[in-house]
Amino acid sequence: DSGVTQTPKHLITATGQRVTLRCSPRSGDLSVYWYQQSLDQGLQFLIQYYNGEERAKGNILERFSAQQFPDLHSELNLSSLELGDSALYFCASSVSGLADTYEQYFGPGTRLTVT
Amino acid sequence: GNSVTQMEGPVTLSEEAFLTINCTYTATGYPSLFWYVQYPGEGLQLLLKATKADDKGSNKGFEATYRKETTSFHLEKGSVQVSDSAVYFCALSATNTGNQFYFGTGTSLTVIP
């Protein structure tokens, strides 16, 4: 158990809908990262927040947005969902905002299925 | 730009066999390099890392050496066990690109008794 929690574990929704994925980092970790893992694209970095502020942005679509709240939990919002958005979404946390200095701890993931 | 290329799987080995999973990278600047492992149904776990050229990362019998001259970070283990069956990801992070992580496509390893 990494200490990172993600809810829900599974989500099934229809095209065009909007969903929110939630992540609680390990106690004491200030940085949260979101990743998308799909069969055709592999593991893609989406976005990073550090202590409430956006720190780095990867291949995140405009239909997707995220935020980190004062209690450091983070939410990833996915809207106007398409079939191609079906994937495993991972959250990771680390102590620092420096990704190459501190280990990232990954949550178990949320499996999103868009039908 | 930054990218990671790792050898295609799946890889199937007998217990106690020698393992090599190749990983090469392209990066601007001076990246840090990582190997992560994903066991079935779980998230990724850091296996080992190296932050500068010629560093060797090691953990649980796995090793990888950061080779700047060949832009490689190959993962090796001398004697694999059934419990090593998992998907292995090579990754890099570079501070000049805002600390983004770039992952390879993953290599699935199955070890048979």
Side-chain angles (χ1 to χ4, degrees), chain A residues 65-85:
Chain A
S65 64
Q67 53 185 324
Q68 186 179 27
F69 295 86
D71 67 352
L72 301 177
H73 91 272
S74 177
E75 292 180 356
L76 179 68
N77 301 297
L78 316 176
S79 61
S80 303
L81 284 167
E82 302 174 0
L83 295 177
D85 298 327

Side-chain angles (χ1 to χ4, degrees), chain A residues 28-33 48-50 55 93-104, chain B residues 99:
Chain A
D29 284 359
L30 299 178
S31 213
V32 168
Y33 309 77
Q48 177 202 358
Y49 278 82
Y50 175 73
R55 176 61 67 94
S93 73
S94 70
V95 168
S96 158
L98 296 176
D100 60 337
T101 306
Y102 291 95
E103 175 177 353
Q104 293 187 26
Chain B
N99 300 315

Side-chain angles (χ1 to χ4, degrees), chain B residues 68-83:
Chain B
K68 192 161 179 256
E69 63 276 12
T70 54
T71 61
S72 66
F73 193 55
H74 304 322
L75 181 68
E76 296 182 336
K77 187 174 185 184
S79 175
V80 293
Q81 306 300 313
V82 171
S83 57

Side-chain angles (χ1 to χ4, degrees), chain B residues 56-103:
Chain B
K56 179 188 275 188
S58 61
N59 186 25
K60 299 181 183 179
F62 290 90
E63 291 184 342
T65 302
Y66 187 162
R67 302 270 187 220
K68 192 161 179 256
E69 63 276 12
T70 54
T71 61
S72 66
F73 193 55
H74 304 322
L75 181 68
E76 296 182 336
K77 187 174 185 184
S79 175
V80 293
Q81 306 300 313
V82 171
S83 57
D84 294 326
S85 298
V87 180
Y88 293 82
F89 291 89
C90 184
L92 74 81
S93 172
T95 53
N96 69 333
T97 52
N99 300 315
Q100 287 187 43
F101 262 60
Y102 298 82
F103 283 88

